[in-house]
Amino acid sequence: PTSCISLALALAGSIGAQQLLVNDGGIGAFVEVDAPSPLYPGGAVAGPSNVYPHAPFLPPLPALVPTGAVSIDTTTGATWYTDGAVITTVQNSRYGGPPPVPPFPGPAVMGLLTGMALDPVAGILWVTDGVAVAGIAPAPPGPMLVPPFGIAAPVAGPLTGLEWDPITGTLWACDMFGGAYNFFPGGALAGPVIAPGPVPAPVSGITVDKSGNAPLGLRSVFLCGPGAIVDVMTGFVMPTFAGLECGMTYHPAPSVFPPGGAGACPCASPGYAVGQALLGPATTGNPAFGVNVTGLPPGMIAIMAFDFAPYNPLFPVVNGIGCPFGLNFGSAFGFGTLADPFGNATFPFSLAGYPPGLTLYIQNIYGCPADPVLGIGITPLNQVVISAP
């Protein structure tokens, strides 16, 4: 489909951030929510899009300043997290991926960690203890790569969140009162300090829109406090669905409509349990991206339909079992494959060469004898924004 994709690039729509991943230290789980976009103008009001547990459970440590943090490898999906004392990983439940990194302590020259951010391209895990920022290797024992440094600006309080910005090659940090700081490795400011906004204190996490769609000065900057996420650039507020927040990061995973994931439009035929999953994060250059449709009868044909034009807001029902079709009949493309002996139809879709900001819409079509109209079932619409790693 490469030639079709190239012809469709000019039709790419603009859309906002995708998933915001919050570490809930109270229940020992990671909670993902949709950020505001044309598909979900209200953002997370649809509820969590994904929840998966710590492994091992690392509750935040008792301290005056919120400890703990989360980051995600936007090339593999590995979730990095800490309770403030030790660092480890667990794989995001959306994907398969590498084995976990065994727990290892934070830098001996720093205090309890309050923020963490991975740069997967350079291989640097940035950490802060609330006062200094440093870069360590993302592998045990985490040797120091960038010695500790401070931010070259007055900081209102202890730093409690950290994020890597691959678009500008800078870091973002927040203090516990809601101030936000954008700075280069080494501490020099990269932009004006953002004064505290209407974020519940203590603020415990910060992230930015990495989709590449918005001009640099207008990109969303999200802060996380008890029960709420606030975009300090617009003032937009949405719930976190987390109980004890201790960190937040951006995850380039799709928004799915209708809510409820792959089971939102099932085929009622006996023996069907169709599921749908992505093979990896939607980041530019990621060769491991793709779609896997599961639960099919072996040998059944399945089709991956996709479009770069804005989705069809009418979501017409095209069969008799109520599956809404979000693609445009005049501009969608598709290609098929057969389910393997385990019932999986896999569609690799390398993102090598595709820039951040490109928006892709995907639905899968498969045979469904229970449908009285077309004899097909349709998975929910995946809205995928290719983001910077």
Side-chain angles (χ1 to χ4, degrees), residues 259-348:
C265 187
C267 176
S269 297
Y272 276 62
V274 177
Q276 181 179 239
L278 295 188
L279 304 180
T283 50
T284 184
N286 186 6
F289 181 75
V291 179
N292 189 34
V293 182
T294 62
L296 298 172
M300 173 174 279
I301 188 170
I303 297 172
M304 174 179 162
F306 60 95
D307 199 348
F308 290 93
Y311 67 92
N312 184 344
L314 298 178
F315 285 102
V317 173
V318 297
N319 57 12
I321 58 176
C323 295
F325 193 63
L327 304 181
N328 299 284
F329 295 105
S331 57
F333 305 92
F335 57 97
T337 191
L338 299 178
D340 64 22
F342 301 98
N344 300 318
T346 302
F347 299 94

Side-chain angles (χ1 to χ4, degrees), residues 222-273:
F222 299 98
L223 295 182
C224 178
I229 296 171
V230 178
D231 178 357
V232 296
M233 301 302 289
T234 64
F236 189 89
V237 180
M238 59 183 176
T240 63
F241 300 100
L244 185 59
E245 294 79 9
C246 42
M248 178 175 63
T249 193
Y250 175 95
H251 180 203
S255 298
V256 178
F257 185 88
C265 187
C267 176
S269 297
Y272 276 62

